[in-house]
Amino acid sequence: MFTVRLKNGDTVRVPLEQLEEFLEKNREQIQVQQQEMGKRRSASVSATTDYQ
């Protein structure tokens, strides 16, 4: 399920199978949000070591 926020403040949960159709029909009502991505984490040495 995906959560879509509308410009009127409502939020709607849409299943993946219906998401494309929902977006096409309601594009002008959807509020676009941009979020900053968190800091990138580097992998620890033990996590990147090849196991044999």
Side-chain angles (χ1 to χ4, degrees):
M1 291 285 240
F2 289 86
T3 302
V4 180
R5 179 167 295 210
L6 304 177
K7 290 181 179 177
N8 66 5
D10 292 343
T11 55
V12 180
R13 292 184 51 95
V14 182
L16 177 61
E17 302 82 28
Q18 299 171 4
L19 186 60
E20 184 177 4
E21 183 180 343
F22 179 84
L23 293 175
E24 288 174 6
K25 289 182 178 179
N26 299 290
R27 191 163 305 278
E28 63 281 341
Q29 296 177 23
I30 296 172
Q31 178 181 346
V32 177
Q33 290 182 249
Q34 293 183 355
Q35 295 179 337
E36 278 189 36
M37 298 297 286
K39 243 185 178 179
R40 264 198 147 159
R41 290 185 267 171
S42 50
S44 65
V45 174
S46 61
T48 59
T49 305
D50 291 332
Y51 292 99
Q52 295 180 352

